[in-house]
Amino acid sequence: MALTENQERMKSKEAFLQACTYIPGGVNSPVRAFGGVDVDPLFIERGEGSKIYDIDGNEYIDFVCSWGPLILGHTHPKVVAAVKAAAERGMSFGAPTLAETQLAEKVISAFDSIEKVRMINSGTEAVMTAIRLARAYTGRDYIIKMVGCYHGHSDALLVSAGSGLAEQSIPSSAGVPTAFAEKTIALPYNDSAAVEAAFDKHKDRIAAVLVEPIAANMGLVVPKSGYLKSLRQLCDNNGAVLVFDEVISGFRVALGGAQEFFGIQADITCLGKIIGGGLPVGAVGGRAEIMDLLAPLGPVYQAGTLSGNPLAMAAAIATLDVLAERICYRRLEQAGRTLQEGFEEASRKTGIPVTVNRAGSILSCFFTEGPIENFQDVQHSNIGRFKKFFSGMLNQGIYLAPSAFETMFVSLAHSEKDLEKTTESVYNVFRELAG
Ligand SMILES: *Cc1c(COP(=O)(O)O)cnc(C)c1O
């Protein structure tokens, strides 16, 4: 298939070269460099609904959605209007505003397990604070995390941390003293026997079990039936805090996140991505008894100059208001299922083996036979095939996450027509791959 000059994306190529002169790797977050797919990254000019437009003037159906936050799609009129109105009243005060209480109320009413919540600026900060709280609350040091789960880029959690790191074969990260990572125990996902064994080995020294209840940073890996419940029980039996990192799953699989979806309650919940509606917001919430350990009430320090920023609060409130109509989640589930069926049908017709993992509107197509239940299984995925698939889809006008270890996010802005075009493209590209 001959590409037109626009499809060769000459302006993006040039822009990337220039960016590399001034910015390490040309990007402000590593996955954006497209290192996993041998393609130059696109420079985006604007987005609208389900579409983004690059600086060469190409249109794409966007399934990255800013890596999850844009569950309403780009430039949703209610979100844009709320942010504009907030900007006109002032960008930031470093003093309390009514919007912060409003958003806190909404989060608390969405999550049964959250009695108090604090807003911060990113998912990374949410998890940092959750861990500090869990350690202070229990008076213990060790934390358990699962291999392939990502919890942001703080020192102690850059241990076996999935996607962005998975492809660079960096076991953790340079610049992290071993002593900082020493208190982090990394165990395979979906393996509650391993967690039980760790509790036996480190009796009374484990502060928290930290997990993505729906793992979405090694591609999508869903919890096996009973897994989350057993983590809940092990924490209860051993006096440890159960921390759910719902930065992706929160407001995504249900308004009340994976906790509502599976009917399991965490002690501390980390939120991010969707809660900011496209602006930088994170949140950490949980039982009042734990949350009240935070300064100024308690001895656990945590702060932020721009935390609870008025523009971010406005975007968040507008986004959650739209999502409060529960019909949204039925539509998202339906859209996710349509895509899953598209992949599976293309696989049957072309003989390309795939495993599609899905939870509502998050899904991953792994190029290998399943089941895929942990990071080790994910490694069997055929990366060479994924790279060809990614380029093929991009040339058909479908923008996917540029890594075999990331997921697709469907938004409420994706129309039937978008989904139809996408499944057609999947079939076309699978045929090329098989041919
Ligand atoms: C994205 C992500 C984070 C980090 O959030 P940032 O806002 O990028 O700091 C933490 N946990 C999970 C599960 C994530 O997907």
Side-chain angles (χ1 to χ4, degrees), residues 14-15 24 29 68 74 81 88 98 107 117 126 173 176 202-203 217-218 226 235 243 291 296 301 338-339 353-354 420:
E14 236 166 81
S29 196
H74 296 271
E88 279 166 10
L98 294 175
V107 172
V117 60
S173 164
V176 178
H202 303 276
K203 218 159 182 38
N217 282 287
M218 47 175 151
C235 283
V243 181
M291 294 304 297
Y301 195 68
T338 301
L339 286 181
V354 302
E420 216 171 276

Side-chain angles (χ1 to χ4, degrees), residues 29 67 121-125 127 149-153 212 214 216-217 245-249 272-273 281:
S29 196
W67 302 89
N121 301 302
S122 67
T124 297
E125 287 177 73
V127 186
C149 285
Y150 177 67
H151 302 290
H153 56 92
E212 284 180 77
I214 296 170
N217 282 287
D245 181 347
E246 296 228 41
V247 168
I248 283 184
S249 55
K273 299 200 166 102
V281 185

Side-chain angles (χ1 to χ4, degrees), residues 44-66:
I44 307 303
E45 189 162 84
R46 66 187 183 90
E48 189 181 344
S50 60
K51 311 274 173 39
I52 51 172
Y53 300 84
D54 68 14
I55 58 174
D56 286 280
N58 299 305
E59 175 186 290
Y60 304 89
I61 302 175
D62 178 18
F63 289 102
V64 179
C65 292
S66 190

